Amino acid sequence: MNTLKKTISLSLLIFIVISCKNTEENIGVLRERISINSNWKFMRYDSAQKADDLYYDVRPEVKTVNDSKAADTPATEAEKLEASERALKPFILPTGNAFVKNKSKQHKRPEGNPGKDFPFVQHNFDDSYWETVTVPHDWAINGPFQEGDNAAVTGGMGRLPSNGVAWYRKKIEISETDKNKAIYLDIDGIMSYAIVWLNGNLVGGWPYGYNSWRLDLTPYINFNGDNQLAIRVDNPNHSARWYPGAGIYRNIWLTKTNKVHVAHWGTKVSTRNVSKESATIDFLVKIDNNSDTNAEVEVITKIYFSDEKVAEFSNQSNISNENSSEINSSVDIENPKLWGPPPTQTPNLYKAVTTIKIDGIKVDIYETTFGIRSLEFNPNQGILVNGELIKLKGVNEHHDLGAIGAAFNVRAAERKLEILKEMGCNAIRMAHNPPAPELLDLCDKMGFLVIDEVFDSWERKKTPHDFHLIFSDWYEADARAMVRRDKNHPSVIIWSYGNEVGEQYTDEDGAEIGRRLVEIIKNEDPTRLTTSAMNWAKSDMPFPTVMDVISFNYQGEGIRQDPIFDKVTDRIKTKPQYEPYHKKFPNKVIMSSETASAASSRGIYLFPVTDKISAPMLHGNGKDDSISQVSAYELYAVDFGSTADKVFASLDKYPYSAGEFVWTGFDYLGEPTPYYNCRSSYNGILDLAGFPKDRYYLYQARWRPDLPMVHILPHWNWENRVGKVTPVHIMTSGDEAELFLNGKSLGRKKKGKFEYRLRWDDVIYESGELKAIAYKNGKFWAEKIVKTTGKPTKLEVIVDRTQINADGKDLAYITVKVIDEEGNFVANATNEIEFQVEGAGVLLATDNGNPCDMTEFNSNKREAFSGMALGIIRSIKDNKGTIEVTISSNGLNNSTIEIESN
């Protein structure tokens, strides 16, 4: 059976209706997944003092915070708090009961209906003066940025006003024809401490902002008219080490089913005996019977590749009323189309369509997308996908999308993955939380390998208001929710249950928490391995014994091993750990879940230049405190980190390592080490705007060795350095290169063992032309020229797509480069650039990649940073036509481009 999704507009809602094609009868509407993203009313209190008292639980008072402390500072013990009788926690905890296996530990809701008389939950409350918003919505992203030492939100959380209490209200219409159905609210993510009322009734909530969850609205529905939804969001300050975003920042859905239906995230697909000739599919479906009678059901599942049916199987089951049943099936598929990472494999996807019948009548249809692939973890090689050794060429990614913030957007996420793929990246670690479900869909489609991670902290705290406050109550529900939602994604290869948790320091007590988490994860999904990233625990400690895969954060290269740290006694100092761990755990795969944490500002080259391959950042040696920027020579890292060159050497010395996840792929909002007066990080291979730093080409040269490429740094506009030493470095996928300055050869150099760039550190600057010719195996490979430019005269405008969808979500990214009369890129230009948009689109945001630029993201004016700026255009829903964008700058020639919105 194939399925056709028809989109029908009704009462301002989008109905996703499952129906049949190529069948004898039309089954009508069985399951509806309705987007309720539009036309929400939104209000945020001006201050915490003005907020209502419908809070989840008490929090500790924050007296002092130092968010600029070293990122590897150990977590500390939680404060003890007295319970509050007014807290709504007892009413919220039962929402997680579906994820608490032991029924005796499930939570019983108290009597009562807190908040029923509060005005914001009432039908008749006048919210006409509230702001109208569309979700996904991040209330903080448009600022303003909070500057200075006394800002409420400081650099660690991005200096944006993400803290506070806010309300969202929306009326939804439920038809009388739905009165015999089950009605659910499905929430992909709300940041954070969400509490939901419907028609004045407290339904439930979920405190952790990164997980997806469901509420059963059926008991509270008015089937004869409007239903008033009200959602309270409480996003505490000092709750994260990065920018968390704020509000209903992912999609939100209304799901309607018959009383007998496939349960929430109710199918599980696993594959075994996988080869090119055949594969066995194990398929579990869980069916809920919410009716008041027993149900004799027939369950039919058909598996499709593209539009071709490749398998079919069926089962019978009797399900008692108000109960559930799990049905297991297995089927063999011949000549399967395997899922695997490009470029050597193809990420093929299958679809299972499950139909439930009662007395021959269809009552539900449920679709499951999955892939067929095998995984082998070889401790002496790494990870084999479908029998092929795939070294992890991965990056870590936080959840924000740069200038548009945390509000999830499919095209914004897709663009990031496209840029990473062009670099040669094949893996993503979701740092440090479950992602939006659509991001995993993209990873499935594009063939990225994924580490899905659930927690950054357990019982011990990293910040005063982080997850440690709710860990003891919610760790099982949150861990199970991640696995249950994401288990069918072929991209997910490892579950991570922690990142640099403070329990590394608590010996057997910490290991015991790890054991509980592993047990929970294995109970949900016994087919995948588990890990927890370690930046301190050593091989002789209990903590690593629990995990299936050994994960290092920076320990592979060693931490603070530079002589400059010889007298440092209050920070982690670790010798390289690959050998000790490989000796202690010879049967476990070892990987680096975080490497590098190098830092740089795109296009900012500082002198003098270190002669080391990796050096700590110091003022006058790698960074400049007067401008809060870090040198782009890509030779400097945070105190506990290493440069790419040093990491590559470590990985090559220990070839049994499965590979690496670089910290990070893109710069991200918050955690702006080493300058916490700024608003975004320096660690990315790409800046916040998505523009490659020089480091990008170092990774591309290593990760795509068959791509002919050569890159030169720095730029060659140095009128104040005439006659001074100005080092020139070359990054190439070739094995040697020759450098020319104004036609004169400065020598031909070949990469030595454990060398990944070619250096000419004694070049005396003179204006003109640098040219690099790269060779591989003695033959010409690639060529690059960098020139001293003239003054800025024009703007070069590049749009990533000239046609976008008129759905109010799709985006076009416009890159603006300042160029001279001859078309040469002026890499040190700082001209102010203005964007004007007319027609069928709007300007969503601008950026330039400067971590210290405090211009609001929704400004239409942006100063070029190192010669570049970015404009992000969004379509207008149902407004088809031309979007005309004019980009201008005083004294420069204007440019106009057109984008079609269809």
Side-chain angles (χ1 to χ4, degrees), residues 299-319:
V299 183
I300 305 164
T301 297
K302 299 177 181 180
I303 296 177
Y304 295 87
F305 180 77
S306 193
D307 287 331
E308 179 185 358
K309 186 177 75 172
V310 298
E312 179 177 349
F313 47 90
S314 62
N315 301 85
Q316 305 278 341
S317 182
N318 187 284
I319 309 172

Side-chain angles (χ1 to χ4, degrees), residues 210-278:
Y210 293 107
N211 251 334
S212 302
W213 43 289
R214 163 175 280 190
L215 290 174
D216 185 358
L217 302 183
T218 312
Y220 312 102
I221 290 288
N222 171 20
F223 289 101
N224 296 311
D226 285 342
N227 290 265
Q228 181 64 60
L229 263 179
I231 301 178
R232 184 186 191 271
V233 182
D234 181 1
N235 211 32
N237 202 355
H238 316 299
S239 62
R241 299 182 296 121
W242 56 86
Y243 176 68
I248 306 178
Y249 73 108
R250 293 180 185 165
N251 290 310
I252 187 166
W253 311 87
L254 201 65
T255 299
K256 301 179 183 180
T257 69
N258 287 308
K259 294 290 186 178
V260 178
H261 58 269
V262 175
H264 190 215
W265 304 324
T267 58
K268 181 190 295 184
V269 186
S270 58
T271 58
R272 54 189 169 88
N273 304 324
V274 174
S275 69
K276 293 180 180 179
E277 290 73 36
S278 65

Side-chain angles (χ1 to χ4, degrees), residues 96 99-100 206 208 211-212 265 434 452-455 458 467 471 473-487 495-498 513 516-525:
F99 304 96
V100 178
W206 201 283
Y208 191 36
N211 251 334
S212 302
W265 304 324
D452 209 352
E453 188 160 81
V454 64
F455 300 131
W458 297 348
F467 187 78
F471 180 84
D473 289 326
W474 285 92
Y475 72 89
E476 181 180 2
D478 277 309
R480 287 189 188 275
M482 176 188 74
V483 178
R484 199 172 297 178
R485 188 196 72 173
D486 297 345
K487 61 187 176 299
W495 303 114
S496 174
Y497 53 90
I513 296 175
R516 295 204 302 268
L517 289 169
V518 169
E519 181 181 358
I520 289 166
I521 291 169
K522 295 283 191 179
N523 181 257
E524 288 287 327
D525 175 25

Side-chain angles (χ1 to χ4, degrees), residues 126-424:
D126 180 11
D127 58 17
S128 61
Y129 62 94
W130 286 16
E131 182 183 359
T132 301
V133 300
T134 296
V135 303
H137 173 243
D138 180 353
W139 80 54
I141 191 59
N142 289 330
F145 287 102
Q146 301 179 11
E147 301 183 53
D149 295 337
N150 297 319
V153 182
T154 50
M157 286 177 56
R159 296 190 172 273
L160 287 164
S162 58
N163 60 313
V165 176
W167 283 82
Y168 292 82
R169 284 170 47 91
K170 180 181 176 66
K171 283 186 169 61
I172 56 174
E173 185 176 343
I174 307 294
S175 169
E176 177 76 18
T177 59
D178 293 325
K179 65 181 180 180
N180 292 321
K181 292 189 175 182
I183 313 292
Y184 299 102
L185 186 69
D186 286 336
I187 294 168
D188 288 349
I190 297 179
M191 189 64 67
S192 55
Y193 289 92
I195 304 176
V196 178
W197 283 261
L198 180 66
N199 298 328
N201 298 286
L202 197 162
V203 183
W206 201 283
Y208 191 36
Y210 293 107
N211 251 334
S212 302
W213 43 289
R214 163 175 280 190
L215 290 174
D216 185 358
L217 302 183
T218 312
Y220 312 102
I221 290 288
N222 171 20
F223 289 101
N224 296 311
D226 285 342
N227 290 265
Q228 181 64 60
L229 263 179
I231 301 178
R232 184 186 191 271
V233 182
D234 181 1
N235 211 32
N237 202 355
H238 316 299
S239 62
R241 299 182 296 121
W242 56 86
Y243 176 68
I248 306 178
Y249 73 108
R250 293 180 185 165
N251 290 310
I252 187 166
W253 311 87
L254 201 65
T255 299
K256 301 179 183 180
T257 69
N258 287 308
K259 294 290 186 178
V260 178
H261 58 269
V262 175
H264 190 215
W265 304 324
T267 58
K268 181 190 295 184
V269 186
S270 58
T271 58
R272 54 189 169 88
N273 304 324
V274 174
S275 69
K276 293 180 180 179
E277 290 73 36
S278 65
T280 300
I281 310 298
D282 294 323
F283 191 86
L284 179 149
V285 58
K286 181 179 180 182
I287 300 172
D288 289 343
N289 179 5
N290 293 351
S291 71
D292 54 8
T293 60
N294 294 352
E296 184 73 33
V297 300
E298 180 184 11
V299 183
I300 305 164
T301 297
K302 299 177 181 180
I303 296 177
Y304 295 87
F305 180 77
S306 193
D307 287 331
E308 179 185 358
K309 186 177 75 172
V310 298
E312 179 177 349
F313 47 90
S314 62
N315 301 85
Q316 305 278 341
S317 182
N318 187 284
I319 309 172
S320 59
N321 62 300
E322 300 299 332
N323 215 328
S324 300
S325 177
E326 292 185 352
I327 300 172
N328 290 282
S329 304
S330 296
V331 65
D332 291 332
I333 293 179
E334 294 185 357
N335 303 313
K337 305 292 185 182
L338 302 184
W339 185 97
T344 57
Q345 300 186 41
T346 303
N348 294 302
L349 292 171
Y350 285 77
K351 182 175 291 185
V353 181
T354 300
T355 302
I356 301 176
K357 291 183 178 181
I358 298 178
D359 295 329
I361 299 173
K362 299 183 178 101
V363 296
D364 195 17
I365 289 182
Y366 189 88
E367 295 184 357
T368 306
T369 300
F370 68 98
I372 299 174
R373 51 110 176 101
S374 68
L375 293 176
E376 178 185 347
F377 289 78
N378 186 309
N380 296 312
Q381 292 180 287
I383 299 173
L384 289 83
V385 182
N386 302 321
E388 179 188 1
L389 179 63
I390 302 292
K391 288 293 186 179
L392 297 171
K393 305 170 183 176
V395 299
N396 287 269
E397 281 296 301
H398 272 312
H399 76 138
D400 76 70
L401 296 168
I404 67 172
F408 188 78
N409 180 280
V410 171
R411 174 55 198 160
E414 182 182 48
R415 172 183 178 256
K416 292 181 78 169
L417 293 177
E418 288 171 350
I419 294 170
L420 292 170
K421 188 174 183 180
E422 179 65 21
M423 182 176 64

Side-chain angles (χ1 to χ4, degrees), residues 739-805:
L739 178 65
F740 297 85
L741 175 55
N742 293 327
K744 180 183 178 181
S745 175
L746 301 185
R748 181 164 165 167
K749 297 189 177 184
K750 191 176 182 69
K751 293 178 186 175
K753 190 176 183 180
F754 305 129
E755 288 183 350
Y756 306 95
R757 70 172 78 192
L758 297 168
R759 302 174 63 149
W760 283 258
D761 284 336
D762 56 356
V763 177
I764 304 298
Y765 179 78
E766 60 182 66
S767 64
E769 177 186 278
L770 284 173
K771 180 166 73 172
I773 300 178
Y775 300 87
K776 194 161 190 173
N777 299 322
K779 297 180 180 180
F780 173 83
W781 186 244
E783 180 178 300
K784 180 73 173 181
I785 293 175
V786 173
K787 295 181 178 180
T788 304
T789 68
K791 294 181 179 180
T793 60
K794 296 182 284 190
L795 298 174
E796 180 184 11
V797 177
I798 305 166
V799 62
D800 67 337
R801 296 186 302 158
T802 57
Q803 293 190 18
I804 61 176
N805 294 321

